[in-house]
Amino acid sequence: MIVIKLVNLPNINEKYNRNVGNVLLVKMANATKEILGEDNIYIRYSGLRFIVFAKNSTAEIVQPKVENLLSKYKQVYE
């Protein structure tokens, strides 16, 4: 299980507007599926969080993918 929290989303919604926050959220969700794969289970939880159930994986397998995902998030965020 991977938990991803988008801590800056409320600030983005407040500073720019909710539409910008929603576009960013969709881009982050698409990047997550692109990096982690389509065959996992994805849940948006509590507005700011994604929970990903990585099927047939271990922490050792998922960890490099999560590091890659964080790099991708930085690109999308900028």
Side-chain angles (χ1 to χ4, degrees):
M1 181 172 83
I2 304 162
V3 178
I4 301 164
K5 184 176 179 183
L6 306 173
V7 295
N8 289 338
L9 191 59
N11 296 337
I12 291 167
N13 286 342
E14 185 176 309
K15 185 173 181 177
Y16 300 104
N17 69 43
R18 194 172 217 47
N19 290 334
V20 172
N22 288 341
V23 167
L24 184 61
L25 187 63
V26 168
K27 287 184 178 185
M28 296 292 196
N30 289 336
T32 303
K33 281 189 171 183
E34 176 186 320
I35 301 294
L36 298 179
E38 294 282 336
D39 58 337
N40 297 310
I41 299 171
Y42 296 89
I43 300 169
R44 183 174 177 200
Y45 171 73
S46 181
L48 302 177
R49 293 174 186 87
F50 291 116
I51 297 175
V52 181
F53 292 99
K55 293 182 177 182
N56 303 318
S57 290
T58 64
E60 292 79 17
I61 293 170
V62 171
Q63 198 243 342
K65 292 180 182 181
V66 171
E67 289 179 15
N68 189 12
L69 181 60
L70 291 174
S71 295
K72 183 74 170 184
Y73 279 174
K74 287 179 186 178
Q75 292 172 4
V76 169
Y77 183 73
E78 291 173 357

